[in-house]
Amino acid sequence: MTVDSSPEVRPELPRQSSLGTAAARNLATTTKSAPQMQEITSRWLLRMLPWVEARGGAYRVNRRLSYTVGDGSVEFVQDGANVRVIPRELGELAMLRGFDDLEVLTALAGRCVQQDFRAGETLVEHGTPADKLHLIAHGRVNQTAVGNYGDEVALDVLADGDRFGEHALLDGDGRWDRTVTAETSGTLLTLSRADFAAVLSTAPGLRSHVAEFSSLSDRRQNHRGEAEIAMSAGHVGEHELPGAFVDYELHPREYELSVAQTVLRVHTRVADLYNEPMNQTKEQLRLTIEALRERQEHELINNREFGLLHNADFKQRIQTHSGPPTPDDLDELLCRRRGSKFFLAHPRTIAAIGREFNARGLYPDHADLGGQQVPAWRGVPILPCNKIPITPEKTSSILVMRTGEDDQGVVGLHQTGLPDEYEPGLSVRFMGIDEKAIISYLVSTYYSAAILVPDAVGVLENVQIARWPK
C-alpha cells in the first residue's frame, strides 16, 4: 500500500483590504421607519360623518308623531326540516305590534302552516282571492304586477324575514294585486284568514287590539305615516281655516355615548433609555389610538344598539333584483331618499359593482374628496369600508346615507373637552406605575351615531359579490 505524503494544496483566499459592511453597521446609525400597522384603513365613515357634541353623554332625537307601526323583520326557529315562527316575532306584524299576550301569539304561531317552494314557482297570482298571510322563512321571491299598458312591472324583491298578504287577514273581499314568484327555492309559513278568525273569536284582548289598530287608518296621515298638519289652500272668500298643531313622539329615542377603552402599558426602562430617535411612548400611543379608531368605525357599522346596519329602518332595506350589485339596484337605493351624500361598501363589493358596470359597458363617474379621486354613481361617491361584514355565502350589504343635522341625516356623536384629552373625544389618562416599573395609561374614546329620520340611511341587502362562473 502506497501512502501519498504530498502536502495538501488549499486555494488562497483574497485578503480583505477594507472594513466590511457587517462590522461597519456596528458604528452606524440606521435609518428606520416609524412602527407600521396593517390594521389601519382609510376610515371614510369617521371622516365623512359630521360630529355633534353630546353634552351629558346622551343625544335625544325628537320626531313628529308617526302612526307607522309593525314594519320589522320576523324571525324563525328551525328543527331539522321543520320551521316555526317565534310567537313573539308575530308582534312585528302591523296589526299585532304592541300585543303581548304570549298565549294568544302562541296559538297564532301554532296555526301557521309550512310550505316549501322551488325556484320559478308561482306563490300567488294577480286577481285571485287573497286569504292568507305569507311569512318568508328562507329564500327570495319577486313581486310583479300588470302595468297600465298590459306589460309586466317589477315591484319588489322579498327575502328572509319579510312577509306579504297581511291585509288578507282582515279583508274578506281582498284580492291579490300582484303576482309573487319564487326566485330561489325556500320555505314560507302561511296563516289563513279562517285560522286567524278562529283565534280572534276566542281572544277578547286580541279583538280590542285589532280594533284599535283599524282605527289608526282613520287618522289623517301624510305619505310618511306622520300625523298630518291640517291646512287649507286654493280657497277664496272668507273660508274658515282649519286649526293645526305639530304632534311629537311622546317617547323619543335617546342615544347614549358608547366607549372603547384599553390600557397601554410601557416599561419605565423602555421609556427612559430607548427614546432616540423616536419616542417609544408616543409611538405606542399612536398605534393604540389607530386601533381604537378602527374599533370605533366597526361599532358605528355593526353595534346592535346604534350601528347603522342594525338600526336602518326596515322600510329602507331593499333586496337586489338578481344578486350582484347592478346600477339598477344603486338607483333604487338613491331614489328612496333625497340628498344622498355617499355609498359605503366593502372593497370586495365595490369590485363587484365595477364588474357589473363593465358588463354593461358603463364607466362610473369620479368624485374629488379632499384631493382624492373616488368612484361615484350619479355623482354620489362610493367609499370603501372593510367593517361591513361578508357572509360565508359571499354576500354583503351596501349603505347609502344622508348626513348632517340640517339635512335630517346621520350624525356622529362625541363629547370634547374631556379630562386629559389627547384628541377631540379621546383621552389618555395616567394610571400610575406599578411595583414592576410598568407605566399604565387609560386610553378612552366616546362615540355613537344617530339616524335623525328613517330615510337618512338605506341598505341594499344580500348583495352577491362572488364571481359568477362564465
Side-chain angles (χ1 to χ4, degrees):
M1 180 176 181
T2 304
V3 178
D4 185 2
S5 59
S6 60
E8 181 181 356
V9 179
R10 297 181 179 179
E12 185 175 340
L13 298 175
R15 297 185 62 185
Q16 183 173 330
S17 61
S18 64
L19 181 67
T21 56
R25 287 184 61 186
N26 293 329
L27 300 181
T29 299
T30 60
T31 301
K32 58 184 70 67
S33 73
Q36 305 298 303
M37 183 175 177
Q38 295 185 69
E39 186 184 10
I40 298 175
T41 64
S42 55
R43 297 197 293 267
W44 277 107
L45 180 60
L46 299 187
R47 294 159 61 181
M48 296 295 291
L49 280 182
W51 291 90
V52 175
E53 286 286 338
R55 294 300 175 189
Y59 183 88
R60 178 180 298 161
V61 178
N62 288 307
R63 294 175 178 171
R64 280 179 61 184
L65 178 64
S66 175
Y67 296 133
T68 304
V69 295
D71 52 3
S73 180
V74 179
E75 295 184 4
F76 305 82
V77 292
Q78 186 175 1
D79 182 11
N82 298 320
V83 177
R84 304 188 310 274
V85 62
I86 300 173
R88 289 197 182 278
E89 286 295 308
L90 292 175
E92 297 297 337
L93 303 179
M95 72 179 69
L96 298 179
R97 173 60 63 90
F99 183 72
D100 56 2
D101 189 329
L102 184 58
E103 182 178 352
V104 176
L105 293 176
T106 302
L108 289 173
R111 290 177 177 264
C112 292
V113 179
Q114 180 175 337
Q115 176 184 338
D116 296 324
F117 55 85
R118 63 184 185 279
E121 181 178 348
T122 300
L123 302 178
V124 300
E125 192 166 352
H126 178 272
T128 60
D131 60 352
K132 290 181 181 179
L133 162 69
H134 296 73
L135 307 173
I136 303 174
H138 179 64
R140 286 166 53 93
V141 302
N142 188 33
Q143 299 186 99
T144 59
V146 178
N148 291 337
Y149 300 97
D151 54 336
E152 186 177 78
V153 178
L155 297 180
D156 205 355
V157 177
L158 304 179
D160 302 12
D162 292 328
R163 73 271 184 179
F164 59 94
E166 192 171 345
H167 69 284
L169 298 181
L170 298 179
D171 186 1
D173 299 323
R175 290 186 173 273
W176 292 112
D177 60 353
R178 61 197 60 195
T179 297
V180 181
T181 307
E183 286 194 350
T184 66
S185 59
T187 301
L188 56 80
L189 299 179
T190 61
L191 177 63
S192 68
R193 186 190 310 126
D195 285 332
F196 181 77
V199 176
L200 188 67
S201 64
T202 61
L206 179 60
R207 287 200 300 273
S208 61
H209 185 87
V210 171
E212 182 180 355
F213 164 77
S214 300
S215 69
L216 290 178
S217 60
D218 297 330
R219 304 181 189 179
R220 298 182 65 84
Q221 309 169 29
N222 62 21
H223 69 287
R224 294 291 187 181
E226 298 170 327
E228 187 177 66
I229 301 175
M231 60 184 64
S232 180
H235 53 275
V236 295
E238 298 178 353
H239 182 80
E240 183 176 350
L241 299 179
F245 68 97
V246 181
D247 207 355
Y248 301 136
E249 289 183 352
L250 296 179
H251 304 287
R253 178 170 180 180
E254 288 190 357
Y255 293 84
E256 294 186 358
L257 293 184
S258 183
V259 62
Q261 291 178 308
T262 189
V263 176
L264 172 63
R265 295 184 173 92
V266 181
H267 200 287
T268 53
R269 183 169 63 250
V270 173
D272 292 342
L273 302 179
Y274 302 98
N275 272 341
E276 292 296 337
M278 297 178 186
N279 186 298
Q280 293 281 2
T281 302
K282 184 177 179 181
E283 292 301 321
Q284 288 278 304
L285 184 58
R286 178 179 67 84
L287 296 182
T288 300
I289 291 175
E290 292 284 359
L292 275 180
R293 294 302 190 192
E294 294 291 331
R295 182 66 184 189
Q296 177 181 353
E297 186 174 65
H298 178 275
E299 293 294 305
L300 290 176
I301 294 290
N302 297 290
N303 188 283
R304 297 195 67 86
E305 295 297 323
F306 58 84
L308 299 179
L309 278 179
H310 293 284
N311 286 266
D313 190 87
F314 284 105
K315 289 187 175 180
Q316 300 299 325
R317 301 170 187 258
I318 62 175
Q319 305 293 321
T320 61
H321 283 84
S322 59
T326 65
D328 299 330
D329 295 320
L330 299 186
D331 284 341
E332 185 74 14
L333 268 182
L334 290 177
C335 76
R336 291 177 175 242
R337 64 201 39 80
R338 57 180 173 81
S340 297
K341 296 295 185 183
F342 58 90
F343 293 99
L344 205 64
H346 193 281
R348 293 179 61 185
T349 306
I350 295 178
I353 293 174
R355 290 196 296 271
E356 292 302 312
F357 279 33
N358 292 338
R360 297 193 178 196
L362 298 176
Y363 299 93
D365 303 327
H366 283 81
D368 187 301
L369 293 181
Q372 183 172 349
Q373 293 292 314
V374 297
W377 178 245
R378 308 292 190 193
V380 180
I382 305 174
L383 304 179
C385 178
N386 68 344
K387 314 304 187 303
I388 300 175
I390 295 177
T391 68
E393 294 78 21
K394 296 298 182 290
T395 63
S396 188
S397 300
I398 299 175
L399 290 89
V400 67
M401 65 190 76
R402 182 177 66 248
T403 59
E405 284 187 309
D406 292 341
D407 284 337
Q408 301 182 103
V410 181
V411 295
L413 306 176
H414 69 171
Q415 187 178 130
T416 59
L418 300 171
D420 301 312
E421 190 169 63
Y422 188 82
E423 292 180 358
L426 184 145
S427 67
V428 180
R429 310 189 77 170
F430 175 68
M431 296 176 63
I433 305 175
D434 65 13
E435 63 277 5
K436 297 181 180 179
I438 302 294
I439 310 172
S440 296
Y441 299 92
L442 176 64
V443 188
S444 308
T445 182
Y446 301 91
Y447 56 88
S448 187
I451 301 173
L452 300 189
V453 295
D455 74 343
V457 175
V459 183
L460 182 65
E461 297 183 316
N462 297 316
V463 178
Q464 178 61 251
I465 64 173
R467 286 183 176 271
W468 293 95
K470 294 183 179 179

